[in-house]
Amino acid sequence: MSSPVPTLVALLHGPDQPGLVARVSGWIFERGGNILHADQHRDMEAGVFFQRVEWVPANGNASADTAAFQAFAASLGMNARVASSAQRPRVAVFVSKFDHCFHDLVLRHRAGDFVGDLVAVISNHPDLAPAAAAYGLPFYLIPVTAADKAAAEARQLALLRELQVDLVVLARYMQVLSADFLEKCGGPVINIHHSFLPAFAGGKPYHQAAARGVKLIGATAHYATAILDDGPIIQQDVARVTHRHDVDDLIRKGRDLEKSVLAQAVRWHLENRVLVYGHKTVVFD
Amino acid sequence: MSSPVPTLVALLHGPDQPGLVARVSGWIFERGGNILHADQHRDMEAGVFFQRVEWVPANGNASADTAAFQAFAASLGMNARVASSAQRPRVAVFVSKFDHCFHDLVLRHRAGDFVGDLVAVISNHPDLAPAAAAYGLPFYLIPVTAADKAAAEARQLALLRELQVDLVVLARYMQVLSADFLEKCGGPVINIHHSFLPAFAGGKPYHQAAARGVKLIGATAHYATAILDDGPIIQQDVARVTHRHDVDDLIRKGRDLEKSVLAQAVRWHLENRVLVYGHKTVVFD
Amino acid sequence: MSSPVPTLVALLHGPDQPGLVARVSGWIFERGGNILHADQHRDMEAGVFFQRVEWVPANGNASADTAAFQAFAASLGMNARVASSAQRPRVAVFVSKFDHCFHDLVLRHRAGDFVGDLVAVISNHPDLAPAAAAYGLPFYLIPVTAADKAAAEARQLALLRELQVDLVVLARYMQVLSADFLEKCGGPVINIHHSFLPAFAGGKPYHQAAARGVKLIGATAHYATAILDDGPIIQQDVARVTHRHDVDDLIRKGRDLEKSVLAQAVRWHLENRVLVYGHKTVVFD
Amino acid sequence: MSSPVPTLVALLHGPDQPGLVARVSGWIFERGGNILHADQHRDMEAGVFFQRVEWVPANGNASADTAAFQAFAASLGMNARVASSAQRPRVAVFVSKFDHCFHDLVLRHRAGDFVGDLVAVISNHPDLAPAAAAYGLPFYLIPVTAADKAAAEARQLALLRELQVDLVVLARYMQVLSADFLEKCGGPVINIHHSFLPAFAGGKPYHQAAARGVKLIGATAHYATAILDDGPIIQQDVARVTHRHDVDDLIRKGRDLEKSVLAQAVRWHLENRVLVYGHKTVVFD
């Protein structure tokens, strides 16, 4: 549960060295902060230390601590990202025609599951405009065709900048974002893929799954990277299927997986629980 | 539970046509048989009908019914395999050095989980000879090297024929069987692969999984075919892992998956619940 | 998937006897019907036979077959219920203030998951009236107080009769229906309880679960009976929790269980897959 | 994975207060120790702080640190238990006639899954004596009858003391240990119950489950207390069942649950990951 008092969360990682836990907690303690949660991990093989620490700063210290902690972490040779619970991330949801992940995200948001704000629904199709309107969410129609994809992405990027979006969520958005978009976007982009990656990357994964005769179908939430369906995995889940399930059944059963896996990944990201390093994620859940 | 009275099980499949359920059940009824279980499936797209039917034949009719049913099925244009519960399949287990699936299969066998008999443990290494001896199981050491693989496979095939083996189970046997072996073997070969195929086919799947940063690891039991890790899938299962699990942890957690998935596949196969067609299986569980 | 051609589904059960599968399928075949699915079960101990059979009747035979099959089943000493896919069941959803199951059911209904129609939302609180209106669903406010409970139930019953409701779904409706209501209602009432029954029956199950320190929480969909939380169970599922989850977390995690378990039970019921006998259900999935 | 260098693990809990994380890590750092893992939890409602911290003490400091840490924790008003990885706990397994948990524990032990030693198999029946002998494990037959139960428990207690047993594991031991035994035993006793407690406490839980018609069966590992099946729960898991599964099937499927749930609980306990407080456990996994 989020605390009513503003808290700071730092995600840090860097070369392992003795005493890191003591130094970080000592630093916070000396500045009058109180640690609520601290979780760390060591990749023994790579010699890397990872930590998520959440604390209540001393009265009035929140913004000073943010900058000071980053400097402190740098002095330890660590990479740090510090976020305040007082600043709610701004989220844009990209959709096309499928609406299940869209409804699911919005309803969870309204139930208070996400520490962030939905500021835009962006789509290449007009289909979900009425649903967005019913929820009181701003809807932006930016059609995309093969010929004008670059121009469409430029419009999307301008909109994200204008709305100061911190996180893009692809809720079954049926266009591949270009490497150029991802680079210029700057911020994180979470995608939901409807298979247990790395199996069935690319198009029509449920058809691939039916053709291969697997006994489990899955869904994978990952950060989008320039290589399709290859970004760091945040969350995965599977459901059992049998020979009785045809492709339509897989699609229906898969919707539940897609909804819950995407929602979990977005929730963790917004709570600053996900640390990407290399091709992988450390999720402090 | 298996019935104390001998029963017959037929697995049949072929082009769908109206009245198949009625004709099959009618045939059995007219010959004085009593159906215990009947399960069918239609692949609507391919127009194929599948059925597993288990019945108690009229007194003394068991062997006559076996042949007669096959002729009857052929008259419907169906492919049928009929087995009697009075004839327990003979199973050979291939092992190398890993012993977890081996112990698991033997202990389940002793607990009465399998309607079949373990008649041979065949290995390319001597390591499990004492364990086999302790269980009172015949152990055959057939070393395999790159140079003499063909000769070793010839010895294995001769042994399988001599022991009248009906099913070969590869319980983490660390050699790839040649296409030639599989063809000459004739009978089914069940393999356990330590990933959720088709992800991480080939060697060292736990290392591949750790490198990709997946959040689930899996195991897959499948019939071995000439193409490695590509045969029809019988059963799959997964377990959740996190960044805290290194390759050794994946190997340890994976052992439980390998044991239960392989055992389930062997159990279903021995109970004549698995029907292979094309690249897939229909499992009447 | 539901067939575009009208089909009939019969659920039958009664004393086991030889030849039942053959007789039922023979009867359908002789009247020109074609069996799409047939699934049966024997309770060996109790000597009871259960069957679900779905068939395409001969052209124009649908309503004649319905009555004729029931007579035929009676002649076998079997209890039968026959439904036609041409008649979609009419469903009333009872709600109070919690909206997650309500939204979930409506969105699944709109996605085509249910072979039935939502004809009424009935509530003891006005809170969900706007949400029902946004979905275009008729909303009926029937407040309930301790003093006027009998009168309120009488209004509910009158409404159910007027709307010719076939199934009542309690989507986290926070009132206990009286034995008198259940008897007069006549039709089935599906309830969702937020624990893995029989554990934590009664009020505040998440608080009970937190107090007991269980490592799994669950949800149970069951037919309501006069004894609270004791009716035949249709579906159950669980999710893993740890010491880190407080009661609020259990409630949040539990919402996902409640949604999927209730939806699955409603789906099965509407497809005539659930047969109640004694205190239990046979679910032909 | 356990470290080859000896490490210390402290489990501590007590009233929450600011700076605890910093003080504990500071104490270890100042004495030249290096923290490998530190995990903490706050029960916000009860105001209790829990921590598991594992560190490599400075060279030659292991035993001094053990005592010193306990004194330090006491000075913070905390309750602490400190264990060294150099001292492997001694485990006695109690069995009766069922052998699946017994084989499972021994095989996992031989595979190196447990940081502890199996020093005795104690049984009220002679059935498993040959199996224990085959594994080279000392087997102690202590028959128990209603008349001589107190005497039998006295013999068990004497044996546990003589063998300096640190942990008793009831691997489907079919006798209820008296409150007197548990009190005199002193150390922890882990039991496996074959239901998802608190459902189906007491005898014949699979029969109870079949009678109630649940769709999931479970197993629960818990610390034994004077009240039957009511001790703090360490681990639980469930498996799906249908109407097709009779009591014998539940028993067979349940064996797999019992094995894995008990093994997981024993593993966690031996790695000092389980902290009991009140009626519950905190498991630092």
Side-chain angles (χ1 to χ4, degrees):
Chain A
M1 302 304 296
S2 61
S3 165
V5 183
T7 62
L8 296 180
V9 174
L11 285 171
L12 61 164
H13 72 285
D16 194 16
Q17 52 188 291
L20 283 174
V21 174
R23 283 189 204 170
V24 170
S25 55
W27 186 91
I28 292 169
F29 187 50
E30 282 159 25
R31 292 177 64 95
N34 188 28
I35 293 175
L36 294 181
H37 303 286
D39 198 359
Q40 46 277 327
H41 170 62
R42 269 183 183 74
D43 185 322
M44 299 290 191
E45 210 183 333
V48 180
F49 176 87
F50 304 87
Q51 192 177 40
R52 179 185 187 272
V53 56
E54 181 172 0
W55 73 97
V56 182
N59 252 343
N61 258 13
S63 54
D65 268 19
T66 302
F69 188 90
Q70 247 146 350
F72 163 68
S75 77
L76 296 171
M78 309 290 285
N79 195 315
R81 198 172 79 213
V82 187
S84 165
S85 67
Q87 285 178 305
R88 289 169 67 87
R90 297 167 63 81
V91 181
V93 177
F94 279 48
V95 297
S96 290
K97 294 183 173 182
F98 294 119
D99 65 355
H100 53 286
C101 284
F102 167 72
H103 283 297
D104 185 73
L105 289 171
V106 175
L107 289 168
R108 286 181 199 269
H109 178 246
R110 288 173 18 152
D113 282 7
F114 297 135
V115 290
D117 295 315
L118 297 187
V119 298
V121 180
I122 300 175
S123 182
N124 57 332
H125 290 291
D127 305 50
L128 299 190
Y135 288 126
L137 291 171
F139 183 88
Y140 301 89
L141 176 62
I142 304 183
V144 180
T145 64
D148 70 356
K149 181 158 177 171
E153 289 195 347
R155 287 182 60 196
Q156 292 167 343
L157 286 168
L159 185 58
L160 296 177
R161 267 191 299 270
E162 183 192 322
L163 297 172
Q164 296 178 284
V165 166
D166 298 299
L167 172 68
V168 170
V169 177
L170 307 180
R172 297 298 313 276
Y173 179 64
M174 300 302 280
Q175 294 284 328
V176 177
L177 296 174
S178 72
D180 185 58
F181 176 96
L182 291 169
E183 196 192 327
K184 287 184 178 151
C185 170
V189 175
I190 295 178
N191 184 42
I192 180 75
H193 183 79
H194 38 311
S195 81
F196 47 88
L197 289 174
F200 310 132
K204 293 194 171 286
Y206 292 129
H207 290 75
Q208 292 184 56
R212 180 63 185 92
V214 289
K215 301 301 185 186
L216 299 169
I217 57 167
T220 304
H222 65 96
Y223 290 111
T225 59
I227 301 173
L228 186 66
D229 299 332
D230 190 54
I233 293 170
I234 307 169
Q235 172 70 330
Q236 299 187 288
D237 205 0
V238 295
R240 198 159 285 283
V241 295
T242 75
H243 59 273
R244 298 192 187 283
H245 296 95
D246 60 22
V247 171
D248 287 333
D249 293 319
L250 300 194
I251 289 170
R252 176 179 55 77
K253 282 182 80 94
R255 285 199 293 257
D256 276 4
L257 289 174
E258 296 164 32
K259 288 188 295 188
S260 64
V261 167
L262 179 59
Q264 183 66 81
V266 168
R267 181 177 161 87
W268 278 334
H269 177 90
L270 291 174
E271 294 177 353
N272 293 295
R273 297 184 179 281
V274 190
L275 208 161
V276 176
Y277 89 112
H279 197 49
K280 305 205 251 181
T281 62
V282 168
V283 178
F284 293 108
D285 67 334
Chain B
M1 303 306 296
S2 63
S3 165
V5 183
T7 62
L8 296 179
V9 174
L11 284 172
L12 61 164
H13 71 285
D16 194 17
Q17 52 187 290
L20 283 174
V21 174
R23 283 188 206 171
V24 170
S25 55
W27 186 91
I28 292 169
F29 187 51
E30 282 159 25
R31 292 176 64 94
N34 188 27
I35 292 176
L36 293 181
H37 303 286
D39 198 359
Q40 46 276 326
H41 170 62
R42 270 183 181 76
D43 184 322
M44 299 289 191
E45 210 182 334
V48 180
F49 176 86
F50 303 88
Q51 191 176 41
R52 178 185 187 273
V53 57
E54 182 172 1
W55 73 98
V56 181
N59 253 342
N61 257 13
S63 53
D65 268 18
T66 302
F69 189 90
Q70 246 144 353
F72 163 68
S75 77
L76 297 172
M78 309 290 285
N79 195 315
R81 198 172 79 213
V82 187
S84 165
S85 68
Q87 284 177 305
R88 289 169 66 88
R90 297 166 63 82
V91 181
V93 177
F94 279 47
V95 297
S96 290
K97 295 183 172 183
F98 294 120
D99 65 356
H100 54 285
C101 284
F102 166 72
H103 283 296
D104 186 73
L105 289 171
V106 175
L107 289 169
R108 288 182 197 268
H109 178 245
R110 288 175 12 155
D113 282 8
F114 298 134
V115 289
D117 295 316
L118 296 188
V119 298
V121 180
I122 300 174
S123 182
N124 57 332
H125 291 291
D127 304 50
L128 300 190
Y135 288 126
L137 291 172
F139 183 88
Y140 302 88
L141 176 62
I142 304 182
V144 181
T145 64
D148 70 357
K149 181 159 178 170
E153 289 195 347
R155 288 182 59 199
Q156 292 167 343
L157 286 167
L159 185 58
L160 296 178
R161 266 191 299 271
E162 182 194 323
L163 296 172
Q164 295 178 283
V165 166
D166 298 298
L167 172 68
V168 171
V169 178
L170 307 181
R172 298 299 311 276
Y173 179 63
M174 301 301 280
Q175 293 285 328
V176 176
L177 296 174
S178 72
D180 185 59
F181 176 97
L182 291 170
E183 196 191 327
K184 287 183 179 151
C185 169
V189 176
I190 296 179
N191 184 43
I192 180 74
H193 183 78
H194 38 312
S195 81
F196 48 86
L197 289 173
F200 311 132
K204 292 193 172 285
Y206 292 129
H207 290 76
Q208 292 184 56
R212 180 63 185 91
V214 289
K215 302 302 186 184
L216 299 168
I217 56 166
T220 304
H222 65 96
Y223 290 110
T225 59
I227 301 172
L228 185 68
D229 298 332
D230 191 54
I233 293 171
I234 307 168
Q235 172 70 331
Q236 298 187 289
D237 204 0
V238 295
R240 199 159 285 283
V241 294
T242 75
H243 59 274
R244 299 193 186 283
H245 297 94
D246 61 21
V247 170
D248 287 332
D249 293 319
L250 300 193
I251 289 170
R252 177 179 54 77
K253 282 182 80 94
R255 284 199 293 257
D256 276 4
L257 289 173
E258 296 164 33
K259 289 188 296 189
S260 63
V261 167
L262 179 59
Q264 182 67 80
V266 168
R267 182 178 161 86
W268 279 334
H269 177 89
L270 291 173
E271 294 177 353
N272 294 294
R273 298 184 178 281
V274 190
L275 208 161
V276 176
Y277 91 110
H279 197 50
K280 305 204 251 181
T281 62
V282 168
V283 178
F284 294 107
D285 65 337
Chain C
M1 304 304 297
S2 63
S3 165
V5 183
T7 62
L8 297 179
V9 174
L11 284 172
L12 62 165
H13 71 285
D16 194 16
Q17 51 187 291
L20 283 175
V21 174
R23 282 190 206 169
V24 170
S25 56
W27 187 92
I28 292 169
F29 187 50
E30 282 159 25
R31 291 177 64 94
N34 187 29
I35 293 175
L36 294 182
H37 303 287
D39 198 359
Q40 46 277 327
H41 171 61
R42 268 183 182 75
D43 185 321
M44 299 290 192
E45 209 183 332
V48 181
F49 175 88
F50 303 87
Q51 190 176 42
R52 179 185 187 272
V53 56
E54 182 172 1
W55 73 97
V56 181
N59 252 344
N61 258 13
S63 53
D65 268 18
T66 301
F69 188 90
Q70 246 144 353
F72 163 69
S75 77
L76 297 172
M78 309 290 285
N79 195 315
R81 197 172 81 212
V82 187
S84 165
S85 68
Q87 284 177 306
R88 289 169 67 87
R90 296 166 64 80
V91 181
V93 178
F94 279 48
V95 298
S96 290
K97 295 183 172 184
F98 293 119
D99 64 355
H100 53 284
C101 285
F102 166 71
H103 284 297
D104 186 72
L105 288 172
V106 175
L107 289 169
R108 287 182 199 268
H109 177 246
R110 288 175 14 153
D113 282 8
F114 296 135
V115 290
D117 295 314
L118 297 187
V119 298
V121 180
I122 300 174
S123 183
N124 57 332
H125 290 291
D127 304 50
L128 300 190
Y135 287 126
L137 291 171
F139 183 88
Y140 301 89
L141 176 61
I142 304 182
V144 180
T145 65
D148 69 358
K149 181 158 176 172
E153 288 195 348
R155 286 182 61 197
Q156 291 167 345
L157 286 168
L159 185 58
L160 295 178
R161 267 192 299 270
E162 182 193 324
L163 297 173
Q164 296 178 283
V165 166
D166 299 298
L167 172 69
V168 170
V169 178
L170 307 180
R172 297 299 311 276
Y173 179 65
M174 300 301 280
Q175 295 284 328
V176 176
L177 297 173
S178 72
D180 185 60
F181 176 96
L182 291 169
E183 196 192 327
K184 288 185 179 150
C185 170
V189 176
I190 296 178
N191 183 42
I192 180 75
H193 183 78
H194 38 312
S195 81
F196 47 88
L197 290 173
F200 311 131
K204 292 194 172 286
Y206 292 129
H207 291 76
Q208 292 185 56
R212 180 63 185 90
V214 290
K215 302 302 186 186
L216 299 168
I217 56 167
T220 303
H222 65 96
Y223 290 110
T225 59
I227 302 172
L228 185 67
D229 299 331
D230 191 54
I233 293 171
I234 308 169
Q235 172 70 331
Q236 299 187 288
D237 203 1
V238 295
R240 197 159 285 283
V241 294
T242 75
H243 59 274
R244 300 192 185 284
H245 296 94
D246 60 21
V247 171
D248 286 332
D249 293 319
L250 301 193
I251 290 170
R252 176 179 54 77
K253 282 182 80 93
R255 284 199 294 257
D256 276 4
L257 290 173
E258 296 165 31
K259 288 188 296 188
S260 63
V261 167
L262 178 59
Q264 182 68 79
V266 169
R267 181 178 163 86
W268 279 335
H269 177 90
L270 291 174
E271 294 178 354
N272 294 295
R273 298 184 178 282
V274 190
L275 209 161
V276 176
Y277 91 110
H279 198 48
K280 305 204 251 181
T281 62
V282 168
V283 178
F284 293 108
D285 66 336
Chain D
M1 303 303 296
S2 62
S3 164
V5 183
T7 62
L8 296 179
V9 174
L11 285 171
L12 61 165
H13 71 286
D16 194 15
Q17 51 188 290
L20 283 174
V21 175
R23 283 190 205 169
V24 171
S25 55
W27 186 91
I28 291 168
F29 186 50
E30 281 158 26
R31 292 176 65 93
N34 188 28
I35 292 175
L36 293 182
H37 303 286
D39 198 359
Q40 46 277 326
H41 170 61
R42 268 183 183 75
D43 184 323
M44 299 291 193
E45 210 181 332
V48 181
F49 175 87
F50 304 87
Q51 190 176 40
R52 180 187 187 271
V53 57
E54 182 172 2
W55 72 98
V56 182
N59 253 344
N61 258 13
S63 54
D65 269 19
T66 301
F69 187 90
Q70 247 144 350
F72 163 69
S75 77
L76 296 172
M78 310 289 286
N79 195 315
R81 198 172 79 214
V82 187
S84 164
S85 68
Q87 284 177 306
R88 290 170 66 88
R90 297 167 63 82
V91 181
V93 177
F94 278 47
V95 299
S96 291
K97 295 184 172 181
F98 294 120
D99 64 356
H100 54 285
C101 285
F102 166 72
H103 284 296
D104 186 72
L105 289 171
V106 176
L107 289 169
R108 287 180 199 270
H109 178 246
R110 289 176 13 154
D113 282 9
F114 298 135
V115 290
D117 295 316
L118 297 187
V119 298
V121 180
I122 300 174
S123 182
N124 57 332
H125 291 291
D127 305 50
L128 300 191
Y135 288 126
L137 291 171
F139 183 89
Y140 301 89
L141 177 62
I142 303 182
V144 181
T145 64
D148 70 357
K149 180 156 177 172
E153 288 195 347
R155 287 183 59 198
Q156 292 167 343
L157 286 167
L159 185 57
L160 296 178
R161 266 192 299 272
E162 181 192 324
L163 297 172
Q164 296 178 282
V165 166
D166 299 298
L167 172 69
V168 170
V169 177
L170 307 180
R172 298 298 312 276
Y173 179 64
M174 299 302 279
Q175 294 285 326
V176 176
L177 297 174
S178 72
D180 185 58
F181 176 96
L182 291 169
E183 196 192 327
K184 288 184 179 151
C185 170
V189 176
I190 296 179
N191 183 43
I192 180 75
H193 183 78
H194 37 313
S195 81
F196 46 89
L197 289 174
F200 310 132
K204 293 194 172 285
Y206 292 129
H207 291 76
Q208 292 185 56
R212 181 62 185 92
V214 291
K215 302 301 185 186
L216 299 169
I217 56 167
T220 304
H222 65 96
Y223 290 110
T225 59
I227 302 172
L228 185 66
D229 299 332
D230 190 53
I233 293 171
I234 308 170
Q235 172 69 331
Q236 299 186 290
D237 204 0
V238 295
R240 197 158 285 284
V241 295
T242 75
H243 58 274
R244 298 192 186 283
H245 297 94
D246 60 21
V247 171
D248 286 332
D249 293 319
L250 301 194
I251 289 170
R252 176 179 53 78
K253 282 183 79 95
R255 284 199 293 256
D256 276 3
L257 289 173
E258 296 164 32
K259 289 188 295 187
S260 63
V261 167
L262 179 58
Q264 182 66 81
V266 169
R267 181 177 162 86
W268 279 334
H269 177 90
L270 291 174
E271 294 177 353
N272 294 294
R273 298 185 176 282
V274 190
L275 208 160
V276 176
Y277 89 112
H279 198 48
K280 305 205 252 180
T281 62
V282 168
V283 178
F284 293 108
D285 67 334

